């Protein structure tokens, strides 16, 4: 969880400015997806402008490391 990063890596986990809650963090295999719900305040599952249909979540996806 993101909370496990505090205080060793982060002083504290910052809240999503659109929800006042922590950002969404999901493990994906050996990688992860971290996202904010975006300006509309709706959780689109991490879908952003690059997706079809476009949504407004702001995301960081870290794929699993290659062998």
């Amino acid at each position: 969880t993101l909370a496990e990063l505090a205080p060793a890596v982060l002083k504290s986990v910052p809240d999503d400015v659109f929800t006042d809650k922590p950002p969404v963090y999901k493990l994906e295999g050996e990688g992860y997806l971290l996202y904010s719900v975006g300006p509309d305040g709706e959780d689109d599952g991490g879908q952003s402008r690059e997706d079809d249909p476009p949504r407004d979540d702001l995301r960081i996806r870290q794929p699993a490391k290659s062998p």
Side-chain angles (χ1 to χ4, degrees), residues 34-67:
L34 174 67
Y35 67 93
S36 161
V37 299
D40 71 0
E42 294 182 25
D43 186 342
D44 297 312
Q47 300 297 305
S48 67
R49 291 183 213 176
E50 296 84 32
D51 295 303
D52 186 23
R55 301 287 190 237
D56 75 341
D57 289 358
L58 307 170
R59 71 176 179 215
I60 296 171
R61 176 171 272 128
Q62 176 61 47
K65 294 180 182 176
S66 299

Side-chain angles (χ1 to χ4, degrees), residues 1-64:
T1 68
L2 288 177
E4 293 177 62
L5 298 175
V9 178
L10 298 170
K11 184 176 179 180
S12 64
V13 176
D15 285 338
D16 180 335
V17 298
F18 301 108
T19 63
D20 293 325
K21 297 177 184 175
V24 179
Y25 174 75
K26 295 181 179 182
L27 292 176
E28 295 185 330
E30 293 185 31
Y32 65 86
L33 173 63
L34 174 67
Y35 67 93
S36 161
V37 299
D40 71 0
E42 294 182 25
D43 186 342
D44 297 312
Q47 300 297 305
S48 67
R49 291 183 213 176
E50 296 84 32
D51 295 303
D52 186 23
R55 301 287 190 237
D56 75 341
D57 289 358
L58 307 170
R59 71 176 179 215
I60 296 171
R61 176 171 272 128
Q62 176 61 47

